[in-house]
């Protein structure tokens, strides 16, 4: 198990370096000049040059990336061009919001999607299956931010149960208020994931039921319930675990959009403002953090995968 | 059938969107970008069918205009993804080597960034707007397209005909375009459909955020953004663009899925796999008189008459009779496709859709005789607990994620529950503790360290050990009939001999009858007392093993006899082919392909 973990970490490090370097190069393409972002249009050329020298953008690109990377491994992602606040600090204050609704959406997706997929998979070809599969397709086709708008218009404004806007942290309002503030965003974001999980789970079951060892189990006299829940479930779960990583990427991206509907002060709001202001260090830090987050999720899933499928451990 | 209707509706929806995208400017009732504040937020009515937005612009006109934006957006992103991703993937897939390794590292690295985050970063660098944002989305999806195209190109490259073309002297570029591109176009086309759907959704999302299409131009995302401003006063304005988005994306996904299904040829003629065996129905009276002349005697263990198995309309087994006595080994011999495994699975009550089977009579003798034809669930469960099955390919027939001991335990527990319900006619008294029974079973099939084997998973043991475990699983039911379906085929020769020795020992030790299904008359000669030869669903010959081997009556049997290798130990029973009829029969076998491995 430890070997699996160390091996995965070793593979993720070059991945993160490539991702951050690609993002770094990409943002070099911008025509935005940090000096005008900070000093406006009216400063002297000397002042502009001095500022550029101060933040180091007059150095060669590779040197700039090297010093950015050297800072990044220590958790220092540079400073914002507009406010001189450390980017890490800006991201850190916003991350809990985005993470809350992403994890919330993942929970919604798994809690709805997996049972629905099992229900469809064990009754494949029947009406339950058609209903579930149709529902899953619809769930995947509904844009999350539109579902969010609908929830605001027809749920939040009709009942006082869920707030239409704003975020309450656990520290400020306790677990109850926190949950209420992320419930609708999580549901809006998680509906599509539920559809994806349901389809994966169903496909997993249908595939596993065609494996010869199911016939062995039937021949052994195991009853239907035991075959479905013991023999088939674990085998069917393997591809679902791999889907979670892909879905997590979609959900984190979607969270950025959903935040706009519910006016949540998350990373989405931060990065949209940064784009409007041409504040590239924030954008770069955001991309790098997302890549790190994805790598972390991938890492945890690889471990989960090794737990579900012992063949991976042995390999 | 119903799903094909859904697919047609989906195509129709896409046709409507395309029509509106092309002819929108001529059919919009109002200018989609101009409105009068006086008629702001009008409700749907005769003047404005879908009402107006907060600037008094006609929602229907903007909706129609949005179809054009969505179509352009989807097209642009898809073209960028296909051209850049597909081109890159095909190139590195064709060349391989270090350019491939380096490019794949880069593609994987960029893929570590979620697509929409990457698109946002590209927009931050290049600026906002419809075409720039869709270029960004296209780049984000180009990564998955590159992986797909690379994989497809590599597997196409390996194909023989591409090598043939290279020998002929086709240059790499010609190779790429003439041979590989057409063959990978279809799967990439399917992927492109799905990218199109994603692109339409992301265009709306980016425009909603203000990063894509810029107001006052109409896009469904921009419309939702302006609807959000007035969501408290007029929530209806958010509905038309949302429904348009859902319908378009749903239609694209349905069409994409249908294309995937068509490519993979996935049929749902058996959605529940091996889970629900179909059972054996009584044969219609007309087919009862199929007996080919041999008079079946009284059989003490198994008496099966007129077994017919169909797969859909195709007849795999055409009225086969089998009789088997206690302590007897009957070999059912034939090439693949002869229907022998179908007979075995029908007798084990393990046939599943699309198979169906009928018979005049299938009876298991003993203290409590059982009839399988037309039996109810309880009787079928009892039948299965008295019929042990050793499946072919033991490594596939064992659950890869459970230990050997766990799988044996499940069977033992299930059988004890059935016995407790009085279904198996077996006495619950005198049971060993389950752990001891597992060890005893594994020991009885000749596994040397049963305690250790019980803790291993099928992937950790050899094929020969897996087959022994398979036999132990069959024995866990204390069967009175053991069906062994090609028990040695997946094993190499020395292990085959061991398994044959094991089966022979078990036949001597236990009172059960054995139905041995094999394509190998040599294996049959080792074990069987009697042999039944099948060809294309019919029994062509049967009799004692010595008689059939020494003096085959049917040309096909002669061919099988002469096809057995003679220099293996224990096969002295089989003689060299001598007569002209046997040589002729050998040719018959060759014409039919390779029935004998």
């Amino acid at each position: 198990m430890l070997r699996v973990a160390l091996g995965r970490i070793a593979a993720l490090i070059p991945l993160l370096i490539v991702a951050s370097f690609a993002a770094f190069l990409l943002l070099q393409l911008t025509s935005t000049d940090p000096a005008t972002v900070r000093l406006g249009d009216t400063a002297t050329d000397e002042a502009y040059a001095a500022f550029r020298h101060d933040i180091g953008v007059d150095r060669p690109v590779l040197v700039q990336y090297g010093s950015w990377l050297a800072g990044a491994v220590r958790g220092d992602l540079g400073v914002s061009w507009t406010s001189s606040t450390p980017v890490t600090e800006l991201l850190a204050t916003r991350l809990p919001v985005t993470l809350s609704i992403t994890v919330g959406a993942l929970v919604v997706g798994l809690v709805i999607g997996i049972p629905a997929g099992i229900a469809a998979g064990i009754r494949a070809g029947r009406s339950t299956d058609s209903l579930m599969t149709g529902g899953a397709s619809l769930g995947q086709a509904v844009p999350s931010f539109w579902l969010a708008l609908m929830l605001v218009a027809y749920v939040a404004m009709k009942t006082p149960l869920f707030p239409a806007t704003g975020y309450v942290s656990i520290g400020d309002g306790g677990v109850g208020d926190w949950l209420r503030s992320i419930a609708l965003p999580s549901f809006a974001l998680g509906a599509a994931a539920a559809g994806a999980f349901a389809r994966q789970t169903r496909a997993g079951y249908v595939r596993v039921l065609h494996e010869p060892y199911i016939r062995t189990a039937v021949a052994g006299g195991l009853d239907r319930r035991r075959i479905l829940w013991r023999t088939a479930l674990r085998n069917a779960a393997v591809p679902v675990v791999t889907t979670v990583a892909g879905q997590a990427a979609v959900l984190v991206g979607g969270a950025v959009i959903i935040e706009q509907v519910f006016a949540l002060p998350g990373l989405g709001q931060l990065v949209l403002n940064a784009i409007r202001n041409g504040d590239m260090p924030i954008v770069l830090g955001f991309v790098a953090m997302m890549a790190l987050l994805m790598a972390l999720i991938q890492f945890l899933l690889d471990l989960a995968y090794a737990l579900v499928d012992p063949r991976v451990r042995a390999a | 059938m119903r799903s094909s209707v859904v697919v047609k509706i989906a195509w129709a929806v896409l046709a409507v969107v395309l029509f509106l995208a092309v002819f929108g400017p001529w059919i919009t009732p109002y200018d989609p970008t101009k409105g009068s504040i006086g008629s702001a937020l009008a409700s749907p009515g005769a003047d404005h069918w879908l009402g107006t937005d907060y600037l008094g612009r006609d929602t229907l006109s903007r909706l129609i205009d949005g179809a054009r934006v969505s179509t352009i957006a989807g097209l642009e992103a898809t073209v960028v993804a296909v051209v850049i991703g597909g081109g890159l993937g095909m190139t590195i897939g064709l060349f391989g080597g270090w350019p491939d390794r380096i490019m794949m590292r880069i593609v994987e690295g960029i893929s570590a960034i979620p697509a929409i985050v990457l698109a946002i970063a590209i927009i931050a660098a290049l600026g906002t707007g419809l075409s720039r944002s869709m270029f960004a989305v296209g780049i984000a999806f180009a990564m998955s397209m590159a992986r797909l195209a690379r994989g497809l190109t590599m597997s196409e490259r390996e194909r023989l005909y591409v090598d043939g073309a290279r020998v002929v002297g086709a240059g790499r570029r010609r190779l790429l375009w003439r041979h590989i591109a057409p063959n990978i176009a279809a799967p990439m086309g399917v992927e492109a459909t799905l990218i199109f759907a994603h692109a339409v959704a992301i265009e709306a999302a980016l425009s909603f955020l203000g990063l894509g299409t810029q107001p006052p131009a109409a896009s469904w995302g921009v419309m939702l953004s302006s609807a959000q401003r007035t969501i408290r006063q007029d929530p209806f304005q958010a509905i038309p663009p949302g429904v348009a988005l859902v319908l378009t994306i749903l239609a694209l996904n349905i069409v994409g899925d249908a294309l995937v299904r068509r490519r993979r040829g996935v049929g749902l003629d058996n959605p529940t796999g091996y889970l629900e065996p179909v059972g054996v129905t009584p044969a219609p009276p007309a087919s009862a008189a199929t007996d080919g002349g041999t008079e079946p005697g009284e059989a003490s263990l198994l008496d099966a008459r007129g077994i017919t198995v169909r797969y859909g309309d195709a007849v795999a087994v055409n009225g086969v009779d089998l009789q088997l006595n206690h302590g007897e080994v009957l070999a059912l011999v034939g090439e693949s496709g002869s229907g022998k495994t179908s007979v075995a699975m029908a007798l084990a009550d393990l046939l599943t859709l699309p198979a169906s089977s009928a018979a005049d009579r299938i009876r298991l003798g003993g203290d409590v005789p059982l009839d399988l034809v037309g039996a109810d669930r309880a009787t079928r469960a009892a039948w299965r607990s008295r019929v042990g099955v050793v499946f072919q390919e033991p490594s596939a027939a064992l659950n890869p994620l459970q230990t050997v001991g766990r799988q044996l335990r499940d069977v033992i527990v299930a059988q004890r529950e059935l016995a407790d319900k009085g279904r198996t006619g077996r006495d619950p008294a005198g049971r060993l503790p389950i752990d001891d029974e597992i060890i005893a079973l594994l020991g009885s099939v000749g596994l040397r360290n049963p305690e250790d084997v019980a803790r291993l998973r099928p992937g950790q043991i050899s094929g020969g050990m897996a087959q022994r475990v398979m036999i132990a699983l069959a024995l866990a039911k204390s069967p009175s009939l053991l069906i062994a379906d090609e028990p040695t085929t997946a094993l190499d020769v020395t292990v085959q001999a061991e398994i044959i020795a094991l089966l022979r020992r078990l036949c001597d030790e236990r009172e059960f009858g054995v139905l041995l299904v094999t394509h190998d008359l040599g294996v049959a000669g080792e074990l069987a007392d009697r042999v039944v030869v099948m060809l294309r669903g019919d029994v062509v010959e049967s009799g004692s093993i010595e008689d059939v081997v020494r003096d085959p009556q049917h040309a096909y049997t002669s061919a099988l006899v002469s096809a057995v290798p003679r220099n293996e130990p224990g096969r002295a029973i089989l003689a060299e082919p001598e007569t002209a009829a046997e040589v002729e029969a050998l040719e018959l076998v060759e014409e039919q392909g390779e029935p004998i491995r």
Side-chain angles (χ1 to χ4, degrees), chain B residues 223-383:
Chain B
M223 290 175 75
L224 284 172
S225 173
S226 40
Q228 192 195 4
R229 293 164 174 267
T230 57
I231 195 88
R232 281 165 200 280
Q233 302 93 306
D234 189 4
F236 174 79
Q237 283 304 312
I239 290 178
V243 170
L245 271 172
V246 171
L247 284 179
T248 308
I249 296 166
L250 190 59
L252 283 164
N253 284 341
I254 288 171
V255 166
D257 286 350
L259 294 175
V260 171
R261 273 204 303 276
R262 195 155 79 192
R263 275 196 52 71
R264 298 208 186 126
V266 181
L268 264 188
D269 50 1
N270 174 21
T272 50
Y274 289 118
L275 186 62
E276 292 165 356
V278 288
V280 182
T281 55
S287 73
T290 51
D291 194 12
T294 49
E295 181 58 36
E298 277 299 303
S300 64
L301 178 58
L302 175 71
D303 186 11
R305 304 196 185 185
I307 305 171
T308 302
V309 180
R310 292 165 196 277
Y311 291 86
D313 294 330
V315 178
V317 177
N318 186 22
V320 164
D321 299 342
L322 289 177
Q323 277 75 37
L324 184 60
N325 290 305
H326 278 102
E328 190 181 35
V329 179
L330 174 68
L332 188 57
V333 180
E335 64 194 44
S336 55
S338 63
K340 58 186 191 308
T341 296
S342 297
V343 170
M345 289 304 123
L347 290 176
D349 190 26
L350 290 173
L351 279 176
T352 44
L353 289 171
S356 61
S357 66
D360 301 318
R361 181 208 292 178
I362 302 180
R363 174 172 293 168
L364 202 57
D367 299 337
V368 188
L370 286 175
D371 276 304
L372 181 59
V373 176
D376 59 13
R377 279 174 70 103
T379 311
R380 288 171 62 193
W383 178 279

Side-chain angles (χ1 to χ4, degrees), chain A residues 98-99 101-110 144 185-194 196-197 243-259 290 293-294 297, chain B residues 114-117:
Chain A
T98 306
L99 224 46
I101 62 172
T102 305
V103 173
L106 202 57
V107 169
V108 168
L110 290 169
S144 57
S186 299
F187 183 79
L189 193 54
F197 288 136
T243 326
V244 174
Q247 279 303 315
V250 174
L251 291 178
V252 166
V256 168
I257 302 163
I258 289 284
E259 285 168 12
M290 285 293 162
L293 204 58
M294 289 301 105
I297 291 171
Chain B
I116 196 148
V117 172

Side-chain angles (χ1 to χ4, degrees), chain A residues 249-294:
Chain A
V250 174
L251 291 178
V252 166
V256 168
I257 302 163
I258 289 284
E259 285 168 12
Q260 292 307 107
V261 179
F262 292 94
L264 301 176
L267 292 169
Q269 216 179 52
L270 178 73
V271 81
L272 286 177
N273 283 329
I275 290 175
R276 258 174 232 130
N277 299 332
D279 201 336
M280 292 304 151
I282 292 180
V283 179
L284 179 61
F286 166 72
V287 176
M289 198 172 69
M290 285 293 162
L292 178 66
L293 204 58
M294 289 301 105

